Amino acid sequence: MIEIQDVIRIHEILIDNFGGSKGIRDRGLLESAISRPFQTFDMVDLYSIIPLRKLQP
């Protein structure tokens, strides 16, 4: 899974290159969005993204 620090750094690079507002409005929402592909319910994957599963430690 990609780390939140990596996402924040990518965001900063994109803002520097293309413009826009710096900063993160809601860190909790960002963390939720990053972890969403790995969520399960009753031990069943909610999203069948097999290549991403292989990246999970």
Side-chain angles (χ1 to χ4, degrees):
M1 182 165 65
I2 189 167
E3 299 291 327
I4 190 163
Q5 302 306 338
D6 296 330
V7 173
I8 292 170
R9 182 65 189 131
I10 291 167
H11 179 257
E12 291 170 351
I13 291 168
L14 292 172
I15 294 299
D16 289 342
N17 287 329
F18 301 107
S21 299
K22 292 196 177 203
I24 297 169
R25 185 177 62 175
D26 190 327
R27 187 179 177 105
L29 285 176
L30 178 59
E31 291 172 352
S32 177
I34 292 170
S35 65
R36 187 171 182 180
F38 302 98
Q39 293 177 347
T40 61
F41 178 76
D42 198 24
M43 303 297 288
V44 176
D45 293 337
L46 294 178
Y47 304 94
S48 58
I49 304 174
I50 295 170
L52 287 178
R53 288 278 176 203
K54 293 179 182 179
L55 297 175
Q56 189 175 16

